[in-house]
Amino acid sequence: MRVALFITCLADQFYAEAGVATVRLLRALGVEVDFPKGQTCCGQPAFNAGHWNEARSLAQRTIRILEDAEYVVLPSGSCASMVRNHYPELLPGDGEALRLSEKTYELSQFLVRVLGVTELGKGLEGKKIAYHHGCHALRELGVKEEPLLLLKNGGAEILPWEAAEECCGFGGLFSVKLPEVSLAMADRKLSTLPQADALTSTDAGCLLHLSGRMGKRGENMRVVPLATLLWEAYGG
Amino acid sequence: MGVKAKLYPKEAARLLREKPGVREAVTGATLHFEQGRKKAYGEIDAEAWRERAKRVKDHLLSHLDHYLELAEKRLREKGVQVHWAEGPEEAHRILREVVARHGVKRAVKAKSMLTEELGVNPLLESLGVEVYETDLGEYLIQLLGEPPSHIVGPAIHLALSEIQRLFHGRFGTPLDASPEALAAVARKVLREAFLTAELGISGANFLVAETGTLALMENEGNIRLSTSLPRVHVAFVGIEKLLPRLADLALFLPLTARAATGQRLSTYVSLIQGPSREEEEGPKEVHVVLVDHGRTTLLHDPEAWEVLRCLRCGACLNACPVYRQTGGHPYGYVYSGPIGAVLDPGLLGLEDTYPLPYASTLCGACYEACPVKIPIPKLLLTWRNRAVERGLAPTWEKGAIKAFSQVMQSPSLYRLFSKALRGLPLPQDLLPLLKAWTEGRGPLKPSPKPFHELWQELEE
Ligand code: SF4
């Protein structure tokens, strides 16, 4: 099986480790991994802000780059949802958009639903993890149990967190268009965060926002992409 | 009501800065409602109920002319006087006539968002009529001179201490009076008003076309009193509030209660079938004013009409983490939160409401909560796209998105950008964005090397 990675801009720039972990993990599971050249951003920031012309050309670009792939895997729930749910809306009647949408998966979703892997290893034994459900992974992609299952089976304890399914306030451009509201939302998440060994999520944007805010509040916790923890679970 | 939606970003920031208590009160109340809703949805096959309700509403909206005519006919058969109002002016004219004809000095009102839209209270006051809001929350904000902060709980932004201070000033109650004691004072004032008012004003949760029945839901009993004690009752009903058949109430009453407050049914349901007959008590005259106020235009908008399914249950507000930070006031119009963000542009035009569709992270919690499955995130995106196409986006945003998409279109520019993030100066257009980001979150910390460079190492 061959998988094309779509790392997308935020993870590429800010959580390169998530990309590395994804490659290592997929290879360890016997999957061949490609990283199609020239890829950048899925277009979501422009799309969500209403700039559909710009989003459309970025979508078309991405479709061209990924069209030959057997599967496309992203270590990001919201970019995966952009490709899966919004490309076909943005490009109605475009067969390639539909085909790409059908073969695109967020990493944990791919592991569980396509590969049927629910246990990677016990590398997270004794670790207490707080899992933030990124909204697009949770409500648009329907990815909820997969990350939890993989973490738990990796030996981690998922700590109960009252606000685990609440939006962290990132929201792409929202975070800079309405910074005060965005930060108030992050504060609500963080003020209910249990004392964990690590805070994780599928989304680079959420993590960037939450870890930045944590720093500003003078708090300290390991904030790490899901892919990295899954690789640790494998024993990497 | 005046429209101040354009000020949303500034007002939201100001409120967070100056009145942190509002955030606390609103978060507490909405989380409580939201838990109630989740539990109440959990007891039923919520998916099936929502789907059915959506279908009924869609059917109604696609045959609205027919059902409006039917409703008018049935109402008239029951002796109700039916009026049509395109907007506030006509609504005011109708009300003015009623006031003049009956020499109304005092009116009691049941909570209604539509009457907020129409500015009924200021009109009555200008006519020298004393108006009493009779919903406890609505009464409180009337005393304070504030608009409602929430569709269902108009005063959820108030802390108990504020209410204690308010009543202390007004009625001389002690500053530490219990909620029960405060409610007792309000009840006394309102009881007097119920008994002496010549006019009762209400909205309607539903108007059944088949039978001409007005359905009103509440928990305090004040709606029942407002619509049964005064001699005259005027109900303002948005044309989208119709239901085809009486049997539909069996779905919509419990569904709305579950969505709004987590109750299986509201404490009181009033079904009004026209004025009272000779031997009965109750109003001798009932008027129903069917109000358009922008709804027909919305109905014919192929991308935005779904918002007309709305039952005004407020569940989307309770679920919305953005609304929770500020309550409804910064939104600057009657309807706030997710529903306000997609309804207000439809009713008032995008020019006057520009920031509202952006008052969301598109987290989708509102859609999950909505009893009639209004695809709020999709509608938010539609309004945003229209805003951009009409040139309403601020210049910095246009510049930033353009710069961003140019960079992302070109792998070589992207590589340059990648270097810039790690030390070189960034394009000017992106700087205001960066500043807005770093102020609350500290400097950006890119990975030492981007993944696309690490990939080569992984391949070697
Ligand atoms: S949009 Fe849906 S959830 Fe929001 S008030 Fe209307 S019916 Fe209720």
Side-chain angles (χ1 to χ4, degrees):
Chain A
M1 183 185 292
R2 255 184 118 76
V3 155
L5 287 182
F6 186 21
I7 294 299
T8 69
C9 53
L10 271 189
D12 186 34
Q13 296 301 331
F14 295 98
Y15 290 98
E17 59 174 297
V20 174
T22 305
V23 176
R24 295 207 164 118
L25 187 58
L26 288 173
R27 284 187 178 156
L29 295 169
V31 176
E32 281 182 81
V33 182
D34 282 336
F35 178 60
K37 270 210 180 56
Q39 56 175 273
T40 56
C41 166
C42 66
Q44 194 191 43
F47 176 69
N48 281 354
H51 300 259
W52 289 6
N53 289 334
E54 284 81 357
R56 216 170 268 128
S57 32
L58 288 173
Q60 278 159 339
R61 203 175 164 274
T62 305
I63 291 170
R64 242 180 294 119
I65 288 169
L66 297 172
E67 72 190 342
D68 295 331
E70 187 184 351
Y71 288 101
V72 175
V73 171
L74 301 86
S76 155
S78 83
C79 306
S81 172
M82 178 69 194
V83 177
R84 265 187 98 97
N85 298 315
H86 299 304
Y87 275 17
E89 283 170 20
L90 197 52
L91 301 162
D94 183 324
E96 286 304 325
L98 268 186
R99 263 188 293 284
L100 178 58
S101 142
E102 282 165 11
K103 63 186 181 189
T104 296
Y105 295 86
E106 178 278 327
L107 174 64
S108 69
Q109 187 185 31
F110 180 76
L111 294 176
V112 175
R113 294 199 207 167
V114 179
L115 294 186
V117 172
T118 54
E119 207 179 320
L120 296 163
K122 289 283 171 205
L124 298 174
E125 207 73 72
K127 290 265 183 312
K128 292 185 195 314
I129 306 287
Y131 184 81
H132 161 64
H133 286 275
C135 300
H136 293 170
L138 179 66
R139 298 194 189 86
E140 288 188 359
L141 279 184
V143 170
K144 180 175 179 179
E145 296 305 329
E146 294 85 343
L148 302 180
L149 187 70
L150 291 167
L151 290 169
K152 270 187 224 155
N153 289 345
E157 180 192 347
I158 310 287
L159 297 181
W161 181 9
E162 173 195 340
E165 293 186 16
E166 281 176 33
C167 177
C168 67
F170 171 59
L173 263 199
F174 178 87
S175 62
V176 287
K177 270 184 95 122
L178 296 160
E180 297 84 0
V181 185
S182 165
L183 293 173
M185 290 165 72
D187 288 343
R188 147 86 186 154
K189 284 281 311 199
L190 294 174
S191 62
T192 56
L193 179 67
Q195 201 49 53
D197 295 309
L199 164 64
T200 190
S201 179
T202 60
D203 266 277
C206 306
L207 293 179
L208 206 59
H209 167 67
L210 286 173
S211 66
R213 189 60 184 164
M214 228 183 240
K216 265 275 163 175
R217 287 163 57 106
E219 294 159 3
N220 206 354
M221 187 182 289
R222 186 178 174 219
V223 178
V224 61
L226 178 70
T228 308
L229 285 186
L230 295 184
W231 175 235
E232 284 174 19
Y234 185 83
Chain B
M1 177 182 170
V3 183
K4 300 201 193 87
K6 271 189 178 160
L7 300 176
Y8 172 81
K10 279 206 184 79
E11 288 299 307
R14 194 166 65 95
L15 192 137
L16 280 165
R17 208 168 46 240
E18 291 173 7
K19 294 188 183 170
V22 169
R23 178 172 176 240
E24 203 180 316
V26 174
T27 301
T30 50
L31 284 172
H32 175 76
F33 279 138
E34 174 68 351
Q35 273 160 15
R37 178 193 64 80
K38 283 195 170 151
K39 186 159 172 280
Y41 270 18
E43 293 174 351
I44 56 173
D45 183 348
E47 201 37 48
W49 284 42
R50 291 168 76 216
E51 185 59 34
R52 266 171 59 210
K54 168 185 182 291
R55 292 218 183 133
V56 172
K57 270 293 189 189
D58 284 354
H59 168 78
L60 172 97
L61 290 169
S62 56
H63 300 82
L64 191 55
D65 287 359
H66 164 74
Y67 285 112
L68 282 168
E69 275 168 33
L70 182 60
E72 177 175 25
K73 185 159 165 252
R74 293 289 181 258
L75 286 164
R76 287 199 199 281
E77 284 167 7
K78 295 199 155 127
V80 173
Q81 305 187 30
V82 182
H83 313 260
W84 299 88
E86 182 121 357
E89 275 168 32
E90 280 148 295
H92 289 185
R93 184 176 44 73
I94 295 157
L95 205 49
R96 231 183 270 123
E97 276 169 25
V98 170
V99 167
R101 189 147 31 87
H102 293 275
V104 175
K105 292 269 169 295
R106 190 170 270 189
V108 281
K109 266 193 77 213
K111 199 184 103 50
S112 138
M113 298 307 279
L114 179 55
T115 59
E116 296 280 338
E117 256 185 73
L118 298 170
V120 161
N121 287 9
L123 172 84
L124 289 173
E125 281 155 15
S126 77
L127 298 175
V129 176
E130 245 187 308
V131 191
Y132 287 86
E133 290 291 351
T134 61
D135 172 272
L136 189 53
E138 196 77 37
Y139 179 62
L140 293 175
I141 59 168
Q142 186 188 23
L143 291 179
L144 286 169
E146 289 182 2
S149 182
H150 185 285
I151 297 180
V152 171
I156 62 163
H157 61 297
L158 297 179
L160 177 60
S161 61
E162 282 171 274
I163 303 167
Q164 287 166 327
R165 262 202 309 280
L166 171 72
F167 273 49
H168 175 71
R170 276 270 165 164
F171 306 112
T173 46
L175 271 171
D176 60 352
S178 67
E180 292 74 21
L182 297 172
V185 171
R187 191 177 303 128
K188 198 159 153 255
V189 176
L190 293 175
R191 183 157 300 166
E192 168 73 18
F194 285 127
L195 292 170
T196 51
E198 299 91 359
L199 172 63
I201 295 175
S202 76
N205 288 95
F206 306 102
L207 168 57
V208 177
E210 177 188 43
T211 52
T213 306
L214 283 171
L216 290 149
M217 305 168 62
E218 56 161 335
N219 285 324
E220 294 174 14
N222 64 300
I223 293 190
R224 179 153 298 177
L225 291 173
S226 303
T227 57
S228 59
L229 287 179
R231 229 171 33 239
V232 187
H233 171 206
V234 178
F236 291 93
V237 185
I239 54 171
E240 84 286 13
K241 287 281 184 140
L242 266 63
L243 284 178
R245 305 167 307 158
L246 195 63
D248 295 323
L249 288 177
L251 170 63
F252 280 87
L253 293 173
L255 179 59
T256 308
R258 280 175 196 268
T261 50
Q263 292 168 285
R264 291 175 179 159
L265 197 59
S266 53
T267 313
Y268 295 83
V269 175
S270 302
L271 300 180
I272 296 174
Q273 304 272 19
S276 59
R277 282 165 292 217
E278 272 315 313
E279 68 282 10
E280 294 170 342
E281 302 202 359
K284 296 295 167 211
E285 206 174 295
V286 175
H287 299 258
V288 166
V289 187
L290 290 160
V291 182
D292 188 320
H293 205 210
R295 286 152 176 81
T296 303
T297 315
L298 251 177
L299 187 63
H300 293 115
D301 183 331
E303 283 153 348
W305 68 273
E306 281 179 277
V307 73
L308 290 173
R309 287 203 292 267
C310 179
L311 311 176
R312 310 284 189 266
C313 71
C316 56
L317 276 64
N318 300 330
C320 178
V322 172
Y323 172 87
R324 253 180 226 156
Q325 310 309 317
T326 64
H329 287 163
Y331 292 79
Y333 191 58
V334 182
Y335 304 105
S336 56
I339 180 61
V342 291
L343 180 59
D344 300 352
L347 295 179
L348 306 166
L350 200 44
E351 279 70 15
D352 287 329
T353 55
Y354 166 75
L356 296 188
Y358 289 91
S360 163
T361 58
L362 303 173
C363 80
C366 49
Y367 172 66
E368 215 171 61
C370 179
V372 281
K373 298 178 80 168
I374 298 175
I376 297 176
K378 196 184 104 196
L379 297 172
L380 289 166
L381 283 166
T382 298
W383 285 113
R384 290 179 186 190
N385 179 232
R386 288 180 178 183
V388 168
E389 289 191 339
R390 288 187 206 165
L392 295 170
T395 326
W396 67 263
E397 182 185 308
K398 282 186 242 171
I401 292 281
K402 203 155 167 250
F404 173 82
S405 73
Q406 270 165 2
V407 167
M408 296 303 167
Q409 286 288 353
S410 146
S412 54
L413 279 181
Y414 180 70
R415 274 195 297 277
L416 262 181
F417 166 76
S418 180
K419 294 222 166 61
L421 262 186
R422 291 165 183 76
L424 289 169
L426 279 165
Q428 286 297 322
D429 280 331
L430 293 177
L431 288 180
L433 284 177
L434 258 184
K435 188 162 164 278
W437 174 274
T438 52
E439 259 166 2
R441 305 167 189 87
L444 285 172
K445 290 181 209 126
S447 306
K449 279 186 191 174
F451 175 80
H452 66 261
E453 283 177 26
L454 296 175
W455 168 254
Q456 274 142 23
E457 295 167 21
L458 285 165
E459 280 295 87
E460 277 153 17

